[in-house]
Amino acid sequence: DRLSALTQELQKSGIRATAGPDWIEIEGGQMTPAWIHCYQDHRIAMSFTMARLRCPKLQIDQPDCVKKSFPTFWELWNKVMSAIPQIQS
């Protein structure tokens, strides 16, 4: 259940969120460092990686799950991050 997974991981990182069978409501909040479980889902891993732009200390477990759809994701992510000196992951 991807909506439930997203809700749980957002809540772990300090974001207020609730989900139903076919919806998610994100109220927001201040994101705090957390260990994000990806459930072997490349979309969750990549989504929370983008959240690292706001909270660089988010940790993504199972980072290799992105290989399913985007094998060079981490290589490109590192290139982008190295080009933005004020934001370091």
Side-chain angles (χ1 to χ4, degrees):
D1 180 4
R2 194 170 297 116
L3 291 174
S4 176
L6 284 171
T7 301
Q8 289 175 3
E9 301 311 307
L10 284 167
Q11 289 171 347
K12 282 179 13 184
S13 65
I15 301 300
R16 293 177 306 279
T18 54
D22 60 354
W23 58 270
I24 186 169
E25 181 178 332
I26 302 170
E27 296 178 43
Q30 180 64 41
M31 189 167 266
T32 58
W35 186 259
I36 303 300
H37 182 56
C38 295
Y39 308 87
Q40 286 294 329
D41 188 316
H42 53 119
R43 294 161 288 222
I44 292 175
M46 289 188 281
S47 296
F48 277 96
T49 299
M50 296 303 121
R52 292 173 71 190
L53 292 169
R54 299 291 294 163
C55 186
K57 293 186 179 182
L58 280 179
Q59 296 294 315
I60 308 295
D61 78 341
Q62 307 164 335
D64 287 342
C65 69
V66 301
K67 290 179 180 178
K68 178 177 183 174
S69 63
F70 197 159
T72 60
F73 177 80
W74 293 113
E75 178 185 335
L76 292 173
W77 174 259
N78 290 332
K79 285 181 182 180
V80 168
M81 293 309 292
S82 68
I84 308 172
Q86 70 273 19
I87 302 174
Q88 296 298 316
S89 58

